[in-house]
Amino acid sequence: MKKLLAMVLTGAMTLSLLAGCGGAKEAADASANTASDSASSSSDSAASASAAIADGVLTVGTNAEFPPFEYVGDDGQPDGFDIALIKAIGEKMGVKVEVQNMEFDSLIASIGNKIDVAIAGMTVTDERKLSVDFSDSYYDALQYVVVPKGSDIKTADDLKGRKIGVQLGTTGMFIAEDEIENSDVSSYNKAVDAVNDLVNGKVDLVIIDKNPALVFAGKYPDDVEALDGSQFGFGVENYAIALPKGDADLLGAINSALGELKKDGTFDRLVSEYIEN
Ligand code: ARG
């Protein structure tokens, strides 16, 4: 009997606790609604709902060593498809965009402190998702294999046991280290240095994303060529903007700006201007 009473009491307490939680949750939902109501009434307030850009500035990290997505322009400033895209996104959001050039391998750890977001031809991976959130994907990519011209490297088997050059912290590095047997991997801060070492014969091949592979290989048309990664079984990757974890307002503002740029033709114009020309 006593036991039964105890059980009833515990049940009642649990119920009242649940009720309490419900109340708190309702209150939170109500304030979230207010925030999104005011956000939808003006895109400026959507942006300022995020603490990251409360100062009206979106600080963007990139690694301008990855043409045509990002490179240092003639004026010494970062330029390229990603830079033009994030500036257009900032304009739609009503914030100023400031770009900081840094090492690719430092980008993720800098999000939420040195920089608000990163745009750097960055592939969405499960591992990275543990530290950052990603916007909607804006471009499909694939790893390519840059080899000496006329090389006999043709299949996944041919990659085994080779000296492979990659850029530090990239998906090309993860493939070389984790998926290719007996690989001897050299990691460079700048991908172009890996290609230079390929030309000098210090590495046997370089694994890097398609478009930069074509640009870098194009610098040495007599010495190297870029091979399509699908012939080695590499899968499609998706580029997205990396953001601080859990900043739903910033994520929403960036995704809706990106959606608008796709709708109004700006996105396609940037693709043909920077990538397809
Ligand atoms: N897509 C690859 C990755 O996410 C390489 C990106 C390199 N980007 C750069 N700006 N250096 O790992």
Side-chain angles (χ1 to χ4, degrees):
M1 183 65 195
K2 240 188 180 171
K3 205 172 174 194
L4 183 65
L5 184 64
M7 273 168 68
V8 169
L9 276 176
T10 320
M13 273 166 68
T14 311
L15 275 178
S16 70
L17 271 175
L18 280 174
C21 281
K25 194 176 172 296
E26 263 162 43
D29 284 348
S31 70
N33 280 338
T34 316
S36 67
D37 283 346
S38 60
S40 56
S41 64
S42 129
S43 65
D44 274 357
S45 59
S48 59
S50 161
I53 46 175
D55 56 354
V57 179
L58 181 67
T59 308
V60 178
T62 195
N63 169 249
E65 300 288 346
F66 199 67
F69 295 97
E70 43 267 335
Y71 48 84
V72 177
D74 293 335
D75 60 354
Q77 296 303 311
D79 196 2
F81 176 82
D82 283 347
I83 309 305
L85 179 63
I86 198 70
K87 284 183 179 164
I89 288 174
E91 206 168 297
K92 291 266 186 218
M93 286 165 58
V95 294
K96 199 172 161 244
V97 170
E98 280 177 14
V99 180
Q100 282 190 25
N101 192 9
M102 54 180 75
E103 281 176 11
F104 183 77
D105 201 38
S106 309
L107 286 169
I108 297 246
S110 303
I111 291 172
N113 48 82
K114 285 200 200 77
I115 55 177
D116 297 320
V117 303
I119 189 162
M122 191 181 284
T123 303
V124 177
T125 69
D126 288 342
E127 176 81 31
R128 289 174 180 159
K129 276 198 215 159
L130 298 175
S131 333
V132 294
D133 285 346
F134 283 101
S135 71
D136 292 339
S137 162
Y138 62 85
Y139 207 77
D140 285 349
L142 177 70
Q143 296 302 306
Y144 262 40
V145 178
V146 188
V147 295
K149 203 155 195 171
S151 156
D152 53 5
I153 294 176
K154 298 217 155 47
T155 67
D157 263 358
D158 300 333
L159 303 176
K160 294 178 183 166
R162 302 278 188 168
K163 285 190 198 142
I164 306 180
V166 295
Q167 186 181 18
L168 185 67
T170 61
T171 45
M173 181 181 102
F174 304 142
I175 289 176
E177 287 183 345
D178 305 336
E179 290 171 30
I180 298 174
E181 263 171 58
N182 300 321
S183 55
D184 175 1
V185 181
S186 302
S187 306
Y188 301 79
N189 277 323
K190 302 180 180 189
V192 69
D193 290 339
V195 178
N196 287 334
D197 269 3
L198 177 68
V199 173
N200 299 331
K202 289 192 190 132
V203 297
D204 301 323
L205 59 107
V206 171
I207 300 182
I208 183 174
D209 305 49
K210 169 180 175 176
N211 301 88
L214 294 173
V215 173
F216 291 139
K219 288 188 176 178
Y220 305 102
D222 298 333
D223 302 302
V224 303
E225 60 187 319
L227 307 176
D228 189 320
S230 54
Q231 83 188 63
F232 301 93
F234 300 158
V236 171
E237 301 184 6
N238 304 297
Y239 291 164
I241 299 162
L243 301 93
K245 248 192 170 326
D247 191 338
D249 291 312
L250 185 58
L251 180 67
I254 287 181
N255 280 340
S256 58
L258 187 58
E260 282 175 40
L261 294 169
K262 287 199 172 163
K263 243 188 241 155
D264 70 15
T266 307
F267 185 88
D268 288 342
R269 184 174 57 72
L270 295 180
V271 169
S272 50
E273 183 179 339
Y274 286 94
I275 305 177
E276 283 167 358
N277 77 6

